[in-house]
Amino acid sequence: MIDVVVSGVLFDMDGTLVDSTAVVEAAWTRFGATHGIDPVEILAFSHGRQTIDTVQRFLPDLPEDEQRDIVDTMIAAEIGYVEGIVEVPGAGAFVRRLQDLGVPIALVTSAPRELAVKRMIAAGVPVPDALVPSEDAERSKPHPEGYLRGAALLGAPAERCLAFEDAPAGVEAALASGATTVVVGDLEASATTGLPRIAGYTGLTVEREGSAFRIRG
């Protein structure tokens, strides 16, 4: 159950607003096959994290320039592949409702800017003006830097923001920032205990209350 008054809303992207599961799993499966690593193990770590973090985790002895080359190649391939990317149910309509009411919104994603914009457009979800992609955060989730930067772009303290997340690293980051956090989907992890949860956005309502906004669902 969600019933909270906030000054802004912070969204993760993959798995939260955009369902890109098939594309992401295919990318990491190819990576695993190339380097002889179980893709199940890779996917268990990678969700919600920047690509470079995962490459460094599984290929720690590779020179940094080679790690970066792998990341650049993977991202370039993903940018050109948007088939099958769809919105999480109700995400587009909910974001448009927030925009119509003037709710400050930021997208905080572990994807680079170009990839994030391509996926949002492919899924039919409006791209917020405030965007914190991977290249704008020195420290990846689960560090709260991205969410703190997103809240700062909105001109609101993170403690006055509502964050939507679907991955363990992302939930930890959002909570560490001080934002009220909602879990999107069926993630079960220690960090999600007691948190409100939604399967999609169709049941959420938004109302203006003075200079703030009440979100229920």
Side-chain angles (χ1 to χ4, degrees):
M1 178 67 180
I2 304 169
D3 188 352
V4 60
V5 177
V6 296
S7 298
V9 176
L10 306 166
F11 288 104
D12 172 52
M13 183 185 68
D14 287 311
T16 298
L17 291 174
V18 170
D19 184 351
S20 55
T21 303
V23 176
V24 172
E25 289 186 352
W28 286 119
T29 297
R30 289 192 298 270
F31 172 85
T34 299
H35 298 283
I37 306 168
D38 184 353
V40 173
E41 185 180 353
I42 299 170
L43 289 165
F45 176 84
S46 67
H47 191 40
R49 300 177 188 267
Q50 293 183 19
T51 304
I52 186 61
D53 290 345
T54 302
V55 172
Q56 290 174 340
R57 164 68 174 78
F58 289 97
L59 299 175
D61 298 326
L62 205 63
E64 184 177 351
D65 60 340
E66 293 184 35
Q67 292 174 338
R68 288 288 176 185
D69 285 345
I70 290 172
V71 171
D72 291 344
T73 299
M74 291 182 67
I75 289 173
E78 289 185 65
I79 287 173
Y81 190 86
V82 295
E83 183 178 351
I85 291 178
V86 297
E87 68 171 356
V88 170
F94 181 62
V95 171
R96 284 187 285 273
R97 173 65 173 158
L98 294 174
Q99 290 176 327
D100 289 345
L101 285 174
V103 182
I105 308 167
L107 187 67
V108 181
T109 175
S110 295
R113 183 180 298 271
E114 184 179 3
L115 179 58
V117 171
K118 284 283 187 71
R119 285 186 176 170
M120 292 283 281
I121 292 172
V125 181
V127 181
D129 292 334
L131 171 57
V132 184
S134 61
E135 56 265 45
D136 289 354
E138 294 182 5
R139 291 159 291 192
S140 178
K141 301 172 184 177
H143 194 280
E145 179 186 352
Y147 279 108
L148 293 172
R149 284 180 176 268
L153 288 175
L154 302 184
E159 292 83 1
R160 291 285 299 165
C161 292
L162 181 64
F164 290 89
E165 262 289 357
D166 78 305
V171 170
E172 291 175 24
L175 289 172
S177 77
T180 300
T181 305
V182 175
V183 181
V184 180
D186 57 6
L187 172 67
E188 294 290 348
S190 58
T192 67
T193 302
L195 297 181
R197 180 185 300 273
I198 59 171
Y201 298 88
T202 53
L204 299 186
T205 63
V206 188
E207 298 174 350
R208 179 181 285 275
E209 291 194 356
S211 60
F213 306 87
R214 182 176 292 274
I215 299 176
R216 293 188 179 101

